[in-house]
């Protein structure tokens, strides 16, 4: 799904958005080194200052889960407002293939920020090493603006799920976007950091639900000896 972390802009500063979704860190070429910001409740956050003076953020958590459960969570778009920070609704606009989606997401942001939306293209892939990837790209220019929302631009994101053995999976996300609009950097950075933590906490808590764990997808190969929760009962 189009999930990515987003919060940037400059003369049109703005605020990053999820992930988001989603939600987290940029891919700026000349940004400074990553610095560990916090480790709390199993979630690690790193920040670095980018050339625009805003902080880039990336996040990571580990949870016992099947890879397909992550796909199932992302497919459950109706439930995204329950765990994606500030998400006010996500829907699929098109599905070019079994591993590709065009997604529209809306975000209700805290005052004084104006609500944002984005349109993204996402694609699933899995390497021979078993690592599952979800790559996200901007498609906002190809779709009309949503009334009452500022359209975020330049959205990019990358989710990575790396099996650690024994059913443990490392989930990480890094992304970027231009949120558009006018907001001070300190507010953008604060919202980005809090939203990243919120979203990762929501994901890691939600993904273990039995309905998600029993999901299976033809384009996902689970690690050896991994079974669904219902098969273990």
């Amino acid at each position: 799904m189009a999930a990515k972390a987003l919060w940037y802009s400059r003369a049109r500063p703005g605020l990053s958005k999820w992930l988001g979704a989603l939600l987290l860190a940029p891919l700026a070429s000349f940004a400074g080194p990553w610095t560990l910001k916090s480790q709390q409740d199993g979630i690690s956050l790193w920040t670095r200052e980018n050339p625009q003076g805003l902080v880039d953020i990336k996040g990571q958590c580990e949870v016992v889960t099947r890879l397909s459960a992550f796909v199932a969570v992302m497919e459950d778009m109706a439930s995204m407002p329950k765990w994606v920070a500030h998400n006010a609704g996500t829907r699929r606009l098109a599905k070019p293939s079994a591993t590709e989606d065009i997604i529209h997401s809306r975000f209700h942001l805290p005052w004084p920020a104006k609500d944002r939306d984005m349109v993204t293209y996402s694609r699933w892939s899995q390497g021979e090493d078993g690592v599952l990837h979800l790559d996200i790209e901007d498609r906002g220019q190809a779709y009309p603006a949503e009334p009452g929302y500022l359209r975020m631009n330049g959205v990019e994101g990358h989710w990575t799920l790396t099996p650690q053995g024994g059913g443990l999976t490392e989930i990480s996300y890094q992304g970027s976007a231009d949120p558009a609009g006018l907001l001070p950097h300190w507010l953008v950075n604060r919202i980005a950091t809090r939203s990243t933590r919120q979203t990762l906490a929501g994901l890691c808590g939600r993904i273990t639900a039995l309905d998600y764990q029993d999901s299976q997808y033809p384009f996902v190969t689970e690690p050896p000896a991994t079974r669904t929760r219902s098969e273990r009962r």
Side-chain angles (χ1 to χ4, degrees), residues 101-229:
D101 291 285
I102 304 293
I103 303 295
H104 177 255
S105 298
R106 293 178 290 114
F107 299 90
H108 288 174
L109 300 176
W111 185 90
K114 186 176 181 179
D115 294 340
R116 263 72 171 174
D117 77 333
M118 65 179 182
V119 177
T120 53
Y121 162 83
S122 59
R123 180 176 62 86
W124 296 97
S125 63
Q126 188 173 25
E128 294 183 0
D129 57 2
V131 177
L132 182 65
H133 303 272
L134 176 59
D135 294 299
I136 300 165
E137 302 174 6
D138 188 88
R139 287 291 187 277
Q141 300 301 315
Y143 292 84
E146 184 86 356
Y149 290 83
L150 282 179
R151 173 63 49 84
M152 293 185 289
N153 304 305
V155 179
E156 294 183 23
H158 184 67
W159 288 92
T160 303
L161 277 77
T162 306
Q164 302 294 300
L168 189 67
T169 300
E170 177 188 277
I171 302 176
S172 62
Y173 183 84
Q174 184 176 341
S176 65
D178 174 5
L182 295 171
L183 286 173
H185 287 187
W186 66 265
L187 180 58
V188 173
N189 295 338
R190 175 183 294 181
I191 295 176
T193 303
R194 290 181 177 178
S195 297
T196 297
R197 181 186 302 284
Q198 265 187 302
T199 299
L200 282 174
L203 170 65
C204 289
R206 191 170 189 82
I207 198 172
T208 57
L210 181 60
D211 289 347
Y212 296 132
Q213 291 296 322
D214 276 343
S215 300
Q216 299 185 58
Y217 296 87
F219 55 86
V220 178
T221 299
E222 299 291 343
T226 299
R227 296 176 294 171
T228 64
R229 290 285 185 87

